[in-house]
Amino acid sequence: AQSVSQHNHHVILSEAASLELGCNYSYGGTVNLFWYVQYPGQHLQLLLKYFSGDPLVKGIKGFEAEFIKSKFSFNLRKPSVQWSDTAEYFCAVSPYSSASKIIFGSGTRLSIRP
Amino acid sequence: EAGVAQSPRYKIIEKRQSVAFWCNPISGHATLYWYQQILGQGPKLLIQFQNNGVVDDSQLPKDRFSAERLKGVDSTLKIQPAKLEDSAVYLCASSSFPGAGDNEQFFGPGTRLTVL
């Protein structure tokens, strides 16, 4: 069965630190990949997505993610975090053969110290 | 454009009671999803509708959960009877017709259910 692993459950950083959140998935075929973010008190929203082409994807608020097919990974990065980045981050995968179905990871809670 | 609407936002019931949640997707979105998000976990798909037909309900506990989307727009999710383990946030999401590679989902604010 397809699955998504986010190994970091809770990450605590100081402002201006660099961020990398890990995401690995298990599926041998073509996939679409997503990072969703949930800010405190708000609903899930799309941060960035990869469908095809350049494996380095840029999203909103300075986030980017790199798809490494050989490692089944789609790690999220930001060079310098801000206090407003405090949120829960979910990696998700959609097998190309099931274009609608999205499987979410368990999430990583990011806390930024001001 | 208006987002996905859900109501109620919060619901507290006792076990064995019934509860229903309502979702209104983004106008024109043919696909509607219901997810269950238990505390500390990612959203888990319960059921997916394409217009008013069910595409995937493989993870819906059909002995107690039911969902419908009669006119292909609004949807309701019902739990009858509720169990303690049903305490979760129930999320509704919608997307435009999902061509391969174009399945961004837009989420509503969710309904937080507490079963006592």
Side-chain angles (χ1 to χ4, degrees):
Chain A
Q2 302 105 7
S3 65
V4 179
S5 297
Q6 292 182 248
H7 304 294
N8 308 107
H9 297 293
H10 189 192
V11 172
I12 303 173
L13 296 172
S14 298
E15 277 195 312
S18 63
L19 169 72
E20 181 161 4
L21 301 182
C23 173
N24 289 90
Y25 65 92
S26 64
Y27 182 73
T30 303
V31 294
N32 299 327
L33 296 158
F34 308 84
W35 276 96
Y36 279 84
V37 61
Q38 189 167 25
Y39 297 103
Q42 298 186 28
H43 51 86
L44 273 169
Q45 55 188 286
L46 186 67
L47 199 57
L48 49 78
K49 60 187 177 184
Y50 170 81
F51 286 164
S52 63
D54 189 343
L56 184 61
V57 179
K58 295 193 183 297
I60 60 172
K61 303 186 180 185
F63 286 91
E64 64 179 31
E66 185 175 12
F67 171 45
I68 303 179
K69 189 174 181 180
S70 61
K71 295 184 178 181
F72 299 90
S73 70
F74 191 55
N75 292 354
L76 181 70
R77 300 194 294 248
K78 186 172 184 178
S80 176
V81 295
Q82 302 172 305
W83 179 80
S84 58
D85 293 325
T86 295
E88 185 122 24
Y89 293 81
F90 294 91
C91 181
V93 62
S94 177
Y96 201 75
S97 61
S98 173
S100 296
K101 185 169 184 174
I102 292 182
I103 301 154
F104 285 85
S106 57
T108 297
R109 185 155 63 102
L110 176 63
S111 300
I112 305 298
R113 292 188 291 248
Chain B
E1 66 183 359
V4 177
Q6 290 187 248
S7 68
R9 293 294 309 276
Y10 305 91
K11 190 74 176 178
I12 301 174
I13 61 173
E14 295 190 350
K15 60 183 179 183
R16 292 188 287 273
Q17 286 187 321
S18 301
V19 65
F21 313 126
W22 173 83
C23 173
N24 181 246
I26 291 173
S27 177
H29 278 193
T31 310
L32 185 147
Y33 312 80
W34 283 102
Y35 289 87
Q36 180 192 58
Q37 186 177 15
I38 292 172
L39 187 65
Q41 300 180 19
K44 182 185 84 172
L45 180 69
L46 291 175
I47 189 167
Q48 175 189 341
F49 291 95
Q50 183 68 30
N51 296 310
N52 61 347
V54 175
V55 174
D56 184 347
D57 64 355
S58 57
Q59 298 197 86
L60 186 74
K62 298 180 185 65
D63 58 333
R64 298 184 300 106
F65 286 65
S66 64
E68 60 183 13
R69 192 184 185 200
L70 292 175
K71 297 182 179 179
V73 181
D74 293 7
S75 177
T76 55
L77 176 70
K78 298 178 182 177
I79 308 175
Q80 180 179 9
K83 293 185 176 181
L84 296 177
E85 58 261 37
D86 298 332
S87 293
V89 176
Y90 290 85
L91 297 168
C92 180
S94 71
S95 66
S96 56
F97 188 83
D102 181 17
N103 57 340
E104 179 179 346
Q105 296 183 19
F106 297 83
F107 284 81
T111 296
R112 183 177 299 276
L113 173 67
T114 302
V115 182
L116 302 175

